[in-house]
Amino acid sequence: MAALFISDLHIDATRPQVLTGLQRLLGTLDDDIDAVYILGDLVEVWVGDDDDGPTAVAIRDTLGRAAQRRAVHVMHGNRDFLFGARFAAETGVALLEDPAVIEVDGERVLIAHGDAYCTRDLAYQKAREQLRSKAWQAGVLAMSLIDRRALAAGLRARSIAANENKAANIMDVTPRAIEEAMDAADVKLMVHGHTHRPGIHSLTGGRRRIVLGDWHRCGWKLTLAPGDANLSCFALPMAGRQRSAPPLTSGS
């Protein structure tokens, strides 16, 4: 059987074609795909499982429908770290730890959002430690929904401003961090997102690292099937005249 992997959709109200693209993808999956893995940043921001906004409601409905037909797994990213038990119960998805080791057709695969391996970005790692803190999250969730939305908007604005002044290389993963993670997990295949630099990378010892793309000019998906890894870019609805890019089968 096969598994589908996606990440970094960054769904919000300003780009409805992304949500529509997800709905179409999940509604037309091949029968041999028995599991879907969403590796973080499904949404641009998640302010809590009590969010009653139209986008949050549509996401719950979309995932709920998909989870009725096959297993759907969701991993926290740096945008949706507040997905909680209520979200999982209402949608039927399973929340995954980051990182996690799964098995696809008998092969162990290390999956992660990917931001933990951007170790050269010290400022980001410090912020990540706070955002992933249970105490900090509890404090945020104790705030009103209106205040949480305002906080999220402020954090997003500061993140954009900070990234504009960073060298591109420090926002990518550190090769040594990837090697150590794969060694610790004892795997030959790793799949992650976050960096928005899709590709299939051949590593030493016959190992591979597959990076998922963000859903900006197109939607990116990875299908792992027996003996095959198909990373491809497909057109999003309402996204102009863009064309799908050919599947990627190798990378540097």
Side-chain angles (χ1 to χ4, degrees):
M1 300 297 284
L4 179 79
F5 299 81
I6 57 177
S7 73
D8 299 281
L9 283 71
H10 296 276
I11 296 171
D12 69 6
T14 67
R15 296 195 303 139
Q17 72 270 16
V18 178
L19 177 57
T20 302
L22 175 65
Q23 291 167 338
R24 292 184 181 179
L25 175 65
L26 295 179
T28 58
L29 292 178
D30 293 338
D31 291 340
D32 62 343
I33 294 178
D34 60 346
V36 176
Y37 294 89
I38 304 173
L39 302 188
D41 287 1
L42 170 63
V43 296
E44 181 65 7
V45 64
W46 189 259
V47 296
D49 293 350
D50 58 341
D51 191 349
D52 57 0
T55 301
V57 171
I59 289 169
R60 291 191 195 93
D61 178 69
T62 299
L63 295 184
R65 291 176 184 273
Q68 291 176 0
R69 299 189 299 274
R70 52 184 44 84
V72 178
H73 308 267
V74 176
M75 181 175 285
H76 295 111
N78 53 297
R79 306 289 181 198
D80 43 26
F81 48 83
L82 290 179
F83 280 149
R86 176 176 168 181
F87 173 79
E90 290 179 348
T91 60
V93 307
L95 294 179
L96 291 170
E97 293 294 325
D98 179 15
V101 175
I102 62 172
E103 190 170 295
V104 180
D105 193 44
E107 180 177 15
R108 286 166 50 82
V109 182
L110 176 63
I111 58 175
H113 178 55
D115 57 335
Y117 309 114
C118 300
T119 57
R120 290 170 292 196
D121 192 344
L122 300 181
Y124 175 79
Q125 292 302 325
K126 182 177 180 180
R128 183 182 187 275
E129 183 177 358
Q130 178 188 49
L131 296 176
R132 297 294 182 112
S133 163
K134 296 299 183 184
W136 185 87
Q137 291 181 9
V140 170
L141 291 174
M143 300 166 59
S144 70
L145 188 56
I146 292 176
D147 288 342
R148 273 180 271 148
R149 286 172 175 155
L151 174 64
L155 290 173
R156 180 64 183 129
R158 288 196 289 274
S159 175
I160 292 173
N163 287 341
E164 288 177 348
N165 298 317
K166 290 179 182 177
N169 69 308
I170 73 167
M171 292 189 287
D172 199 0
V173 298
T174 304
R176 183 57 185 165
I178 295 295
E179 293 173 4
E180 291 175 350
M182 296 184 73
D183 286 344
D186 190 24
V187 300
K188 289 194 173 183
L189 176 61
M190 179 179 188
V191 179
H192 71 80
H194 178 67
T195 63
H196 301 185
R197 302 181 182 191
I200 301 179
H201 303 268
S202 297
L203 308 177
T204 60
R207 300 190 296 188
R208 290 181 299 166
R209 176 173 68 95
I210 303 179
V211 187
L212 302 168
D214 63 308
W215 288 34
H216 180 60
R217 71 177 184 88
C218 61
W220 284 92
K221 64 179 180 177
L222 167 68
T223 303
L224 288 183
D228 182 45
N230 186 342
L231 178 63
S232 60
C233 179
F234 60 93
L236 295 171
M238 299 169 56
R241 293 191 173 186
Q242 63 187 22
R243 299 177 62 186
S244 298
L248 293 178
T249 56
S250 63
S252 58

